């Protein structure tokens, strides 16, 4: 068996007081405060890769880059690599993560070798989905030591469920979004009982402008 090497994985997201990541129409909406956005920029600047699911790219079309004032002044301090988890290569050619402003890897289970501009297509499928364990191993081989997972709910659940995350940081904004169809911090199939749940240890809380930051270690 190949030794399992993986980068340190930090999950970060922002949710409403009722745990929603977006509206019931799955539209992105302002949950974070300015202070929290500064925190996220600094967090992004401290990692080697930022990873999201294809659901997030299709819903929000994020850039996933770091504003220049947050990029370290150290030598070669550039943007982290952007990674999209996209089993069936649904990513639109015009997606902002394909804008060439930073390196992008599209991890897929698809066998099609459709080129995506400058993006690297990384085949690491298992039963039609991206095998996250394999993906982490591949990123590690590329020198990536710290990964920030920015959502969405389905991908966050997979990382937690598969024991692939080290930390979970949640900014809980002072608002209620409601809606039974709104995405939550962890969607996917879910646990059958507390016994099956992913266990956390709360290591820090910080009251911030517009909400509270919860920082957990993910226990194995
Ligand atoms: N507030 C926040 O911090 C925040 C952050 C990010 C996103 N969001 C919101 O979250 C929503 C999107 O979340 P989402 O749950 O729909 O999508 P998502 O988690 O971004 O992406 C899920 C998709 O990733 C693909 N995937 C491939 N392999 C996977 C694996 N092993 N495990 C899990 N997923 C895998 C699957 O599609 P394929 O099978 O086609 O590959 C799956 O449907 C949007 O409404 C967005 O606005 C909010």
């Amino acid at each position: 068996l190949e030794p399992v090497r993986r980068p340190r994985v930090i999950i970060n997201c922002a949710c409403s007081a009722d745990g929603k990541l977006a509206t019931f129409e799955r539209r992105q909406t302002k949950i974070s405060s300015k202070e929290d956005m500064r925190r996220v920029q600094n967090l992004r600047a401290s990692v080697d890769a930022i990873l999201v699911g294809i659901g997030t790219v299709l819903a929000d079309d994020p850039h996933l880059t770091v504003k220049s004032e947050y990029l370290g002044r150290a030598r070669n301090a550039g943007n982290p690599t952007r990674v999209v988890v996209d089993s069936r290569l649904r990513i639109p050619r015009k997606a902002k993560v394909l804008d060439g402003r930073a390196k992008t890897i599209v991890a897929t289970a698809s066998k099609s070798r459709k080129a995506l501009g400058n993006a690297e297509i990384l085949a690491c499928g298992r039963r039609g989905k991206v095998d996250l364990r394999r993906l982490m191993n591949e990123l590690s081989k590329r020198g990536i030591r710290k990964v920030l997972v920015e959502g969405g709910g389905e991908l966050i659940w997979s990382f937690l469920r598969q024991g692939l995350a080290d930390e979970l940081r949640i900014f809980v904004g002072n608002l209620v979004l409601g809606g039974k169809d709104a995405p939550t911090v962890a969607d996917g199939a879910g646990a059958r009982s507390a016994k099956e749940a992913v266990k956390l240890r709360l290591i820090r809380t910080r009251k911030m402008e517009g909400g509270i930051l919860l920082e957990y270690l993910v226990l194995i």
Side-chain angles (χ1 to χ4, degrees):
L1 264 162
E2 202 183 337
V4 188
R5 253 193 338 142
R6 69 164 176 86
R8 182 162 188 85
V9 173
I10 301 173
I11 298 172
N12 184 78
C13 64
C15 70
S16 56
D18 54 329
K20 312 294 188 189
L21 294 179
T23 67
F24 69 92
E25 294 171 314
R26 309 185 82 76
R27 286 223 189 96
Q28 187 178 33
T29 189
K30 194 178 169 295
I31 296 171
S32 278
S33 59
K34 286 223 171 81
E35 186 186 7
D36 187 52
M37 286 176 191
R38 288 196 295 271
R39 178 189 66 87
V40 173
Q41 286 292 319
N42 283 315
L43 181 57
R44 283 184 177 181
S46 76
V47 300
D48 304 308
I50 303 174
L51 189 145
V52 295
I54 183 63
T56 296
V57 170
L58 295 174
D60 305 348
D61 194 17
H63 269 118
L64 303 182
T65 49
V66 183
K67 292 199 175 97
S68 57
E69 63 263 39
Y70 292 88
L71 283 174
R73 251 158 263 168
R75 9 151 226 123
N76 304 327
N79 271 294
T81 297
R82 301 175 286 192
V83 183
V84 180
V85 175
D86 180 12
S87 315
R88 295 169 276 162
L89 286 181
R90 287 191 286 155
I91 189 166
R93 281 173 183 281
K94 286 191 175 156
K96 289 186 181 128
V97 291
L98 299 176
D99 62 6
R101 281 169 54 191
K103 184 176 158 60
T104 300
I105 296 175
V106 179
T108 186
S110 161
K111 297 237 159 59
S112 118
R113 301 198 41 173
K114 173 170 104 174
L116 285 169
N118 299 321
E120 177 186 349
I121 299 181
L122 178 58
C124 48
R126 184 167 174 263
R127 294 195 200 133
K129 287 268 176 200
V130 171
D131 181 341
L132 298 178
R133 202 171 293 276
R134 226 173 112 195
L135 171 59
M136 291 302 104
N137 193 243
E138 287 296 331
L139 294 183
S140 176
K141 285 183 195 161
R142 284 164 176 73
I144 288 171
R145 290 191 304 216
K146 205 167 165 190
V147 172
L148 178 63
V149 174
E150 289 209 22
E154 207 180 324
L155 192 68
I156 291 176
W157 170 255
S158 287
F159 268 92
L160 291 171
R161 175 75 289 170
Q162 293 178 38
L164 292 173
D166 301 286
E167 290 182 49
L168 174 64
R169 302 185 187 174
I170 309 177
F171 176 81
V172 184
N174 298 333
L175 76 169
V176 171
L177 282 168
K180 63 178 162 42
D181 295 325
T184 74
V185 171
D187 293 327
R192 281 186 195 85
S193 66
K195 206 174 149 204
E196 235 186 64
V198 177
K199 309 295 189 303
L200 308 172
R201 177 185 299 141
L202 185 63
I203 51 168
R204 202 159 90 106
T205 63
R206 177 149 61 105
K207 193 172 173 196
M208 293 175 68
E209 177 197 348
I212 186 166
L213 176 65
L214 306 174
E215 298 190 352
Y216 298 95
L217 284 184
V218 181
L219 306 179
I220 29 160

